[in-house]
Amino acid sequence: MTDTKAFDWRRFLLMWSAEWADGMADDEGRGEDDQEARRAGWLGSPPASEERVTAVEKRLGRRMPPSYREFLKVSDGWRHAGGFVWRLAGTADARWHDDESGLAVMFEEYLDADSEDEEWREAGLWRRGLQLDVESDAMYVLMDPEDVDEDGEWAVYTWAGWQAAPPVRHANFLEFMRDMHREFHSLRALPGDGAPAFVNDTTRRLDAQVEGARTAALRGDWEGAGRALEEAKGYGRPRAGGLGDQIRRLLSDTSPVNFEDLVTDSRYAPDLLPPLIAEFARHSYRDDSTLRFQLRGADDELVSRAHATLARVRDRTYRYAPGGPFGEAVERARELARWGDTDGAWRTLRSALPLWEPLGPDHLAPLGWIADPFLGPLLTPERGRELLSTPRGGQAGDAPRPTADLDPAGLAWLAEPSPGGGRASYRFVLVEGVEPEELPGRLADEDGAVLGEPLTRSEARGRSRGEGGKYPSYEDRAVMAVGRAGAGWSFAFDHDPGPFSPQYFVSPAAAASAGTRAVVVGCGLRDRHGEPFFHLSVAQDGAEQYAVTYAEGQVRSDGEPPRALDPSRFLDGTEPRPEAERLLLEAVAQEFGARLPRRAIDDGRLHTVTTRSWTRAPRDGETYRVVEICMGREPRGEQADPGR
């Protein structure tokens, strides 16, 4: 915190005045007073004496806060505080606002008995505030005598109706003036026609700071770089926003991140455009009319490229494919993530970072992978910090400590509630020694069946409920996520299985085990909508070796399971023990050495397979219904076969 009493007001105000005068065009200004201020190199007034300051305090009935007092002793008022306050009050013009504007009444109209005390306090500012704006573009500047810190400083609030935002709070008068100096710089950073180039000691210092931050970021000092860039951005310095946005995006800070002019630069667009488009797709609800506003200054070719990228992001065909050795590592990482090994994918991507080559001097890190449907889910704030802390782009530095893997070992994590409280029941198939691409041939009915498109958990649940057509009530076809289950195993996982009926259940283990070994697990020990159940079946070379089922309070076995997999060890009587699910899953993982990737299953996107039914067809004398899902048409009213 700055010591407001020790601040060198004269030096600060002289610097500001010189910057204002040097940056003015010949025909700029609000009259002869501005021209005189330009010639004098001084935006202020003569200093106020202690007697004059004491007199205004007597008139107002309050001692002025320290930073405002010290300011008055250097300049009794000010011109051009920022871009919208043309004259700021000195001792002669400072006055209580006393709701002269009627804004207290306006703000209070929106409040009621349920409003917070803070909301009432803010509305009351217009009755008690000390008004400092004398001439402005409808911009109010009020000091609040009830918002006082331990040093006696009053907070300053600024508000204009055309901003469509709540009043902005500045901690004290000094911070207000600093903020106005920043605003002045940000508005002058891009001079208009006829205006001289805006170059001064402040801009030179900040531009050097931006360049230093760029190299610091590539060395891995993203925190120091971020602070330096944020300061320079506040002054409107070129490059600062675009560089800082790259850091913020990797920290999962997405709003507002637009990479400024860099995203419309043909050098950087291939890497910066996809993450910008991916974030736009998340919130646009297919209303693309505002996309061009995200690309200010873009030519028609880039806008066309943006729309093409948007289409690929939406249909999940966008593929991050940089060149060179880093691109080869990205492809390996993508293949790992495609089959669920997100930890392995991240380690691969992380290890290759020193091989990454920037597309230009203002490219701080690879970002296009965030839009890739398989690679994007790898990003977490912790991993973003790790990437930013890794030296790259030809810079040397110390490598950061690797972040921990996110996926737990084994299967026991399935006994924990999933995000949102779901996963009370689930089922999965493990097949040894085969690739995930081979699972459709083992689990699906159709000859030549292939994997379906990658889906999230919620998308797979929607597919499993059908998109129209007839569905016999006895059928239980599952849309299962597919991937690798550790060394030597592939898996198919169903988040949302149908009700478990022991008399109708048919394990897919035997069909899946042709020439190898397959394991099937189904669990609903925490399912509150039906009877608790657990099933395990193991098959080899097309024949079931053993199966154990807990349902309706009883354990039934076919064949002889290993003692470690006997559910009766964990399921006593009619109520399963609270830890039974976890112990059973640990036993299965120990027996077969398999694991399931939690992050990919819960939060990622995996290929799918639609399986044959997990229940048998009705036998003679058993009845069933045919359910018809009608999408936009009336059902035809067909009945179930009366002979069944």
Side-chain angles (χ1 to χ4, degrees):
M1 178 180 294
T2 302
D3 183 351
T4 56
K5 295 180 181 179
F7 184 71
D8 190 342
W9 276 104
R10 182 163 184 79
R11 180 174 179 274
F12 173 66
L13 297 177
L14 282 171
M15 174 189 69
W16 189 345
S17 297
E19 293 171 349
W20 174 82
D22 291 345
M24 281 185 65
D26 291 338
D27 58 351
E28 190 178 355
R30 293 180 51 80
E32 181 56 33
D33 286 346
D34 277 0
Q35 295 303 323
E36 177 58 31
R38 183 183 185 185
R39 288 190 292 270
W42 181 242
L43 281 169
S45 298
S49 65
E50 178 64 29
E51 291 76 15
R52 192 171 179 85
V53 174
T54 302
V56 75
E57 290 175 334
K58 183 176 181 180
R59 173 171 64 85
L60 297 172
R62 294 289 297 266
R63 181 176 175 82
M64 294 296 96
S67 59
Y68 186 51
R69 274 186 127 261
E70 295 303 314
F71 162 76
L72 292 173
K73 292 179 181 180
V74 174
S75 179
D76 194 3
W78 191 251
R79 305 181 66 81
H80 298 293
F84 310 103
V85 179
W86 302 321
R87 192 155 70 90
L88 198 66
T91 55
D93 298 308
R95 69 189 190 280
W96 298 114
H97 184 66
D98 198 22
D99 201 26
E100 176 185 302
S101 61
L103 288 169
V105 174
M106 185 189 79
F107 278 94
E108 287 168 356
E109 285 179 351
Y110 295 96
L111 305 180
D112 54 31
D114 295 326
S115 298
E116 300 289 337
D117 290 344
E118 180 66 17
E119 295 176 288
W120 283 102
R121 193 193 65 77
E122 288 180 358
L125 170 67
W126 303 100
R127 301 187 192 280
R128 65 177 182 271
L130 183 68
Q131 184 170 345
L132 297 184
D133 58 282
V134 179
E135 296 178 19
S136 71
D137 185 6
M139 174 70 73
Y140 292 92
V141 182
L142 275 71
M143 286 202 298
D144 188 351
E146 292 186 9
D147 189 351
V148 184
D149 67 14
E150 63 274 12
D151 296 320
E153 294 287 358
W154 302 6
V156 178
Y157 288 84
T158 55
W159 184 82
W162 46 262
Q163 288 183 325
V168 176
R169 182 183 185 275
H170 313 264
N172 52 57
F173 182 77
L174 172 57
E175 290 308 312
F176 160 74
M177 288 293 277
R178 281 178 156 174
D179 289 342
M180 293 304 98
H181 182 238
R182 273 190 288 272
E183 182 178 270
F184 156 71
H185 265 266
S186 67
L187 294 171
R188 293 280 182 172
L190 297 175
D193 294 339
F198 189 63
V199 179
N200 48 62
D201 288 347
T202 301
T203 62
R204 283 188 285 267
R205 174 182 67 81
L206 290 169
D207 290 345
Q209 183 171 301
V210 168
E211 181 59 24
R214 182 189 72 83
T215 56
L218 291 171
R219 287 197 306 270
D221 180 16
W222 60 271
E223 292 176 291
R227 289 190 296 269
L229 292 169
E230 188 66 21
E231 181 189 8
K233 180 183 177 181
Y235 284 83
R237 297 318 302 155
R239 304 170 64 207
L243 291 168
D245 280 355
Q246 295 176 63
I247 294 174
R248 293 174 54 222
R249 184 62 189 89
L250 286 167
L251 297 175
S252 299
D253 182 357
T254 60
S255 179
V257 168
N258 55 31
F259 307 114
E260 297 194 351
D261 294 342
L262 294 181
V263 77
T264 57
D265 187 318
S266 59
R267 292 174 295 174
Y268 306 111
D271 200 53
L272 301 185
L273 188 61
L276 181 72
I277 293 298
E279 190 62 22
F280 176 85
R282 286 183 58 203
H283 303 290
S284 66
Y285 306 106
R286 296 192 176 272
D287 176 10
D288 301 344
S289 61
T290 61
L291 178 57
R292 188 151 199 151
F293 292 107
Q294 302 281 332
L295 304 168
R296 292 181 180 86
D299 57 23
D300 291 341
E301 181 180 353
L302 183 64
V303 172
S304 176
R305 179 177 185 172
H307 281 281
T309 302
L310 178 60
R312 291 198 301 275
V313 166
R314 281 185 174 146
D315 64 20
R316 297 181 289 277
T317 59
Y318 171 74
R319 188 185 188 101
Y320 178 57
F326 180 71
E328 295 172 4
V330 165
E331 191 58 34
R332 293 193 298 273
R334 191 176 192 277
E335 189 67 7
L336 289 169
R338 179 186 175 201
W339 302 119
D341 186 5
T342 57
D343 287 332
W346 177 251
R347 290 192 296 270
T348 300
L349 198 63
R350 177 185 67 201
S351 298
L353 271 175
L355 303 174
W356 170 75
E357 297 180 359
L359 297 177
D362 286 348
H363 196 192
L364 295 185
L367 285 126
W369 61 275
I370 295 172
D372 189 294
F374 290 114
L375 296 174
L378 302 181
L379 182 62
T380 65
E382 295 77 17
R383 285 174 168 175
R385 289 192 287 270
E386 182 184 14
L387 186 154
L388 289 167
S389 299
T390 302
R392 57 200 179 277
Q395 296 293 324
D398 295 330
R401 182 177 181 179
T403 55
D405 287 350
L406 299 180
D407 279 334
L411 306 170
W413 63 268
L414 289 165
E416 303 169 4
S418 67
R423 201 171 55 230
S425 61
Y426 51 87
R427 57 191 173 190
F428 58 88
V429 181
L430 303 172
V431 184
E432 189 175 26
V434 303
E435 290 299 313
E437 295 98 327
E438 301 176 55
L439 292 182
R442 295 171 178 271
L443 298 175
D445 269 337
E446 302 83 5
D447 291 335
V450 296
L451 290 176
E453 65 176 309
L455 301 175
T456 64
R457 175 182 178 178
S458 60
E459 290 166 349
R461 182 182 293 116
R463 296 289 178 88
S464 69
R465 292 173 180 169
E467 298 179 347
K470 295 181 180 179
Y471 300 89
S473 60
Y474 64 82
E475 280 198 347
D476 180 19
R477 298 177 182 270
V479 178
M480 305 186 76
V482 169
R484 292 198 176 99
W489 293 89
S490 290
F491 74 86
F493 187 91
D494 183 8
H495 298 272
D496 194 24
F500 183 76
S501 300
Q503 63 271 37
Y504 297 111
F505 177 75
V506 177
S507 170
S513 69
T516 185
R517 185 168 54 156
V519 179
V520 171
V521 172
C523 184
L525 294 176
R526 291 176 287 117
D527 191 348
R528 298 180 180 179
H529 302 291
E531 288 287 332
F533 72 91
F534 182 85
H535 172 84
L536 168 69
S537 50
V538 177
Q540 187 161 2
D541 296 329
E544 188 173 271
Q545 293 184 310
Y546 54 86
V548 289
T549 302
Y550 169 81
E552 299 171 346
Q554 296 181 340
V555 176
R556 300 179 179 88
S557 298
D558 294 314
E560 295 187 10
R563 169 65 178 162
L565 299 178
D566 185 353
S568 63
R569 296 176 57 212
F570 315 112
L571 302 166
D572 301 328
T574 58
E575 290 293 330
R577 289 158 50 187
E579 71 275 19
E581 181 179 359
R582 177 181 59 81
L583 294 172
L584 285 163
L585 291 167
E586 287 176 349
V588 172
Q590 180 69 27
E591 181 73 17
F592 300 104
R595 60 187 297 173
L596 289 174
R598 178 175 64 182
R599 186 168 175 82
I601 286 174
D602 279 348
D603 303 315
R605 189 179 295 278
L606 292 168
H607 286 286
T608 57
V609 58
T610 301
T611 70
R612 61 178 64 89
S613 178
W614 288 58
T615 53
R616 62 171 175 79
R619 295 169 181 157
D620 290 341
E622 296 177 337
T623 61
Y624 66 95
R625 293 190 180 100
V626 174
V627 179
E628 183 174 5
I629 299 177
C630 305
M631 308 296 286
R633 62 179 176 83
E634 293 293 326
R636 290 192 291 271
E638 298 182 25
Q639 303 296 316
D641 182 346
R644 306 298 290 271

